[in-house]
Each structure stands twice: as structure tokens, then as C-alpha cells.
Amino acid sequence: MLNEEPHFSLQAEPQGTRWEAIAADLRVDIVQGVFPPGSRLPNEAALAERFQVNRHTLRHAMQSLAREGFVQVRHGSGTFVRELVLDYALQRRTRMSENLAEAGEQGRRELLSHSEGLAGSLWANRLRLSPRAPVLQMSTRALVRGRPVSLCSAAYPLPRLGAMAQAFARLGSITAALAELGVTDYTRERSVISSRLPSQQEADALARPVTQPVLVVDYCNVDAAGVPVEAGRTLFAADAVQLTVGPDGWERS
């Protein structure tokens, strides 16, 4: 589904202090699955020996990871990697930033690829265009706590939204990018929910095994006049996202 093989690095960046460097190393371990969600980190003595620091320095690192939401300290039991299960609400106004905020999380979306092409059979009906009408196709990925949770491939009508990729790359938000291009409000016209196994490329982009199912949401968003402005397909990692459907009665398959 993606136009090119995505590549990303999870290497820790240099930090200003020793405890920040320790936090960065452990953060990378968590994101890469060395310490999977729900697992307990090694005890203080083992970590202090690994990083060759005293426990006071180590505790600064743990406090930082706890504030960021990566770990949870359970007194008397140890420090555990927090489970990442988001309730993602599909409603008339579905906004990723709002869903994350309600879950007490912060995330970011990154642009993987973009290109212009014809609507074809995939996008024509959803955008109410001719199959030969031009569209901008854009692939993005959402990350929470540094870990990929969803992939999205979407199409936007041209020439109206021709600057969508540039606006998104600068703002990091679909809603903000649409607003900058004149679509100050939009609503979800339709969502169809299904599930399947990912392709190898999709699994790699989500940093999950190819045997782990993904939740698939095909959708169309319209502006205040009811004109389609975005049609897309989002793949959610099933171990990280739980879809909830609002009272609007979305269609499922």
C-alpha cells in the first residue's frame, strides 16, 4: 500500500547528562521491543551495573521515563513498561490529536511519501471524481512513545489540495494542513472497519511481525458543504489501538 519502503532510525541521540543518556538508551530498548509492553525492567542493581552509575543517577533516568509515559513504577514490585493500548474513537469529527489527548498520550505523524496520479478505481467513488481525475496521494505514519501505531494512505482532490503534502510536512497535522488550505472544518462521512494480516512492507513499517493482524479503516471526510476532501485507508496495530465507534452508526465489514 505504501509507495516506497519506509526507513527510520531509532538510535539514541547524544544527551546532555549521564541520566539523560541512560533514559535515551532505555527508551530505545523499549521502542525496539527489547523490553516489551507489560514486562518488568531489570532491577536497580542490574541497571546500575550495566550503565556503571550509582542508583541516584539511575533514579533520575527512571523518573524521566515515567513522566514520558514509557514506564510505571510499582512500589514493592519494580518498574514495568507501560502497555500501549489506545481507545481510538471513530466519530463525526475524528481527530487523532484529540484521541491521544483523551488517552493522556502525545504522538506525532510523519510523511512517508507523496505523489500525484489518477483517482482510478480506488479513490474515484469515494471522492466522487472521474477515475481519470488527478489526485494527490500521501502516505503517513503515526507514532506514540516513539513506536509506530498506524499507517495511512490517503488521496486529496487536485488542484484544490495540491499543497497538502507540503503543509502536512511543515505542520505535522492533517487538520492543520487542511485548515491552512481553506478547509476549516470537516466531518467523517463514512468509515468501514475490517481486519486482516499486513503485508511484509506494512508489518516492517509498523515494527510488528507479519503474523500480527491489523485493523483497517476505510474512510471519507467531507467539508462543510458536503464535498469530499479526503479519502483514505488507515492500518492500526491491533496490539496498540482499540477502535470505538460513536453513536453515529458507522458501517462495519
Side-chain angles (χ1 to χ4, degrees):
M1 188 177 74
L2 301 177
N3 293 330
E4 59 185 32
E5 188 74 26
H7 173 76
F8 57 99
S9 173
L10 296 173
Q11 297 301 311
E13 297 180 358
Q15 300 292 329
T17 68
R18 183 61 179 139
W19 69 260
E20 288 175 330
I22 293 169
D25 284 347
L26 291 173
R27 193 181 299 113
V28 169
D29 285 347
I30 292 170
V31 170
Q32 292 183 334
V34 176
F35 302 121
S39 67
R40 186 173 70 175
L41 295 183
N43 60 32
E44 280 189 349
L47 289 174
E49 181 178 354
R50 169 184 168 181
F51 293 108
Q52 294 296 294
V53 295
N54 59 45
R55 296 190 181 189
H56 179 72
T57 300
L58 184 63
R59 285 169 187 164
H60 271 297
M62 289 302 178
Q63 290 167 1
S64 176
L65 291 174
R67 286 193 301 269
E68 295 170 0
F70 282 91
V71 302
Q72 180 182 39
V73 179
R74 302 177 191 170
H75 296 292
S77 299
T79 302
F80 293 80
V81 179
R82 279 185 55 192
E83 297 281 358
L84 178 54
V85 180
L86 306 173
D87 283 326
Y88 194 93
L90 298 177
Q91 301 172 332
R92 294 295 294 176
R93 283 180 172 81
T94 297
R95 306 289 189 266
M96 175 167 283
S97 58
E98 293 177 7
N99 276 296
L100 290 175
E102 289 180 4
E105 299 282 0
Q106 292 184 346
R108 65 183 178 89
R109 294 182 71 168
E110 59 184 8
L111 181 63
L112 297 179
S113 64
H114 65 93
S115 63
E116 293 186 7
L118 301 181
S121 59
L122 179 60
W123 306 118
N125 289 338
R126 302 186 205 181
L127 292 174
R128 301 177 206 158
L129 298 172
S130 161
R132 297 196 61 78
V135 296
L136 171 71
Q137 299 182 66
M138 205 166 78
S139 293
T140 61
R141 175 170 51 188
L143 302 97
V144 177
R145 301 184 209 160
R147 192 178 188 201
V149 296
S150 70
L151 297 172
C152 181
S153 179
Y156 304 87
L158 294 175
R160 181 182 184 184
L161 297 173
M164 188 67 188
Q166 292 82 353
F168 175 80
R170 187 175 67 259
L171 300 170
S173 164
I174 294 294
T175 299
L178 286 171
E180 184 172 273
L181 299 179
V183 183
T184 56
D185 189 27
Y186 63 94
T187 55
R188 182 63 57 92
E189 182 180 63
R190 185 170 184 253
S191 287
V192 180
I193 307 169
S194 59
S195 64
R196 61 172 172 81
L197 291 175
S199 68
Q200 186 64 62
Q201 187 177 0
E202 292 165 348
D204 290 345
L206 286 169
R208 262 69 172 191
V210 73
T211 55
Q212 186 176 93
V214 293
L215 301 173
V216 183
V217 178
D218 289 290
Y219 65 89
C220 180
N221 290 321
V222 298
D223 64 14
V227 178
V229 292
E230 178 189 32
R233 173 173 296 163
T234 302
L235 306 184
F236 291 98
D239 67 326
V241 177
Q242 175 177 280
L243 297 178
T244 60
V245 181
D248 310 276
W250 296 120
E251 184 176 347
R252 307 186 200 187
S253 68

